[in-house]
Amino acid sequence: MGKFFATQTKLFDALFTAVYTAKSNKSIYILQGGSSSSKTYSICQLLIYHCITYPRTEVAIIGESLGSLKIGALSDMLSSVANSDVIKKHIKRDNIFTNSAEGLVVDFYNGSKIIFRGVGSPSQSGHADAKSSQKSKAGKRDILFINEANGIAEVVANELILRTRQLVFIDFNANMPFWAHYKYHKKYIAASDLNEEQKQQRYGFVDDKVQWIYSNYTHNQYCPDEIIQQLKEYKHTNPMRYRVYTLGQTGNADDYKLWLYAFNQLQHVKQ
């Protein structure tokens, strides 16, 4: 792997081992983690590796919008390519991306391609609009990456996953449980309204096909000291953010709403 990337985090090594080295039939990899743990960066690196190693691989990287992808997965992809002359030789265009009706596309000389697409966010009711649902039904792919998945409606995610032939990657900061937890995590399945037979079926699917990978800043040995210090300070200033963004754990709806609506200009803005 060293020939592809100048740097690889501990999280990348764990993900690579899970996907390519561990003997399992897992097809859904869920990366829940804190801020600066390298979740998105590591997945992007792995997708580049896969596209170069396995010709004619089709990858879709899905976000709430192209705007959100540009400051997340798209930025990380650009960084990975810019830092490796080896990778650049495998990509057709000097400017890397081309615009198409599909979205932003990275074309590899061996026929592989990575498409970045925004599909819209869920409404306040939690449902996707008709346009988002239709976008999710457009095309099939070998590998799917749903970036910041808690910004994507469940019905859209279901359609995308259904139309994926090989591997699914999902990442997020878990400020509260959402569809990924309710569908793929045993704790939340156990607490659901499913009957016992349905629960057992879900447990079996999770055991066979799903792997959760948890991370925080300690899994990124390149995380800057100033970022680490900021994350540690949340322990004293904001317990909810400390749990979610520092430790990489799951928050809850009540704590999130309390944090979200607790802003007070007199208390929180320097006068």
Side-chain angles (χ1 to χ4, degrees):
M1 288 304 302
K3 70 176 183 178
F4 286 111
F5 307 113
T7 59
Q8 298 165 200
T9 67
K10 297 175 185 177
L11 179 57
F12 174 86
D13 292 338
L15 178 62
F16 187 89
T17 297
V19 175
Y20 298 109
T21 306
K23 295 180 179 179
S24 72
N25 294 316
K26 307 289 187 184
S27 59
I28 299 176
Y29 295 87
I30 302 176
L31 279 70
Q32 172 178 324
S35 179
S36 300
S37 72
S38 81
K39 300 182 299 298
T40 302
Y41 199 92
S42 295
I43 295 173
C44 286
Q45 284 186 317
L46 185 135
L47 295 178
I48 292 170
Y49 165 83
H50 197 99
C51 283
I52 293 172
T53 306
Y54 300 93
R56 295 178 295 282
T57 294
E58 295 187 13
V59 177
I61 299 181
I62 302 298
E64 182 179 328
S65 67
L66 277 178
S68 63
L69 287 170
K70 284 178 181 178
I71 61 174
L74 192 57
S75 175
D76 288 345
M77 181 72 68
L78 283 168
S79 178
S80 293
V81 174
N83 291 329
S84 173
D85 290 334
V86 175
I87 295 173
K88 291 176 187 175
K89 294 176 182 178
H90 290 274
I91 295 175
K92 285 186 176 181
R93 297 170 181 82
D94 290 338
N95 61 355
I96 302 175
F97 299 103
T98 182
N99 282 294
S100 76
E102 299 174 291
L104 291 175
V105 182
V106 183
D107 285 308
F108 294 79
Y109 282 112
N110 65 2
S112 293
K113 67 177 179 178
I114 299 174
I115 301 170
F116 290 80
R117 282 200 296 128
V119 294
S121 59
S123 66
Q124 289 184 344
S125 64
H127 300 293
D129 59 27
K131 187 176 181 181
S132 296
S133 297
Q134 193 60 39
K135 283 184 178 180
S136 67
K137 297 177 183 179
K140 295 185 178 181
R141 77 286 304 173
D142 299 304
I143 299 176
L144 170 69
F145 171 24
I146 305 180
N147 181 223
E148 300 295 349
N150 41 1
I152 305 298
E154 181 177 1
V155 64
V156 172
N158 288 343
E159 293 287 353
L160 290 164
I161 293 169
L162 181 65
R163 288 168 170 75
T164 301
R165 292 181 283 263
Q166 297 177 14
L167 298 172
V168 175
F169 297 93
I170 297 168
D171 81 346
F172 51 86
N173 302 113
N175 45 35
M176 67 178 75
F178 70 111
W179 58 261
H181 295 90
Y182 300 132
K183 286 173 64 69
Y184 300 126
H185 197 296
K186 286 185 175 181
K187 171 184 172 181
Y188 296 94
I189 295 171
S192 72
D193 294 330
L194 296 174
N195 63 43
E196 193 57 34
E197 181 180 356
Q198 292 171 323
K199 288 180 181 180
Q200 291 302 321
Q201 289 175 345
R202 293 302 303 171
Y203 295 154
F205 179 83
V206 170
D207 285 338
D208 291 341
K209 298 296 183 182
V210 180
Q211 179 160 348
W212 286 75
I213 299 175
Y214 298 95
S215 62
N216 55 48
Y217 69 91
T218 66
H219 298 92
N220 174 10
Q221 64 269 40
Y222 306 105
C223 185
D225 290 339
E226 58 269 25
I227 298 296
I228 294 174
Q229 188 58 40
Q230 290 174 22
L231 290 170
K232 288 182 175 180
E233 285 176 1
Y234 285 144
K235 184 174 184 178
H236 308 290
T237 62
N238 193 316
M240 190 284 291
R241 291 186 71 83
Y242 181 73
R243 183 183 308 119
V244 174
Y245 296 101
T246 306
L247 301 180
Q249 298 174 357
T250 307
N252 62 68
D254 290 337
D255 285 347
Y256 180 68
K257 290 175 182 176
L258 182 64
W259 167 77
L260 191 64
Y261 298 111
F263 175 78
N264 181 298
Q265 184 171 1
L266 291 176
Q267 291 180 333
H268 299 121
V269 178
K270 186 175 182 179
Q271 303 296 317

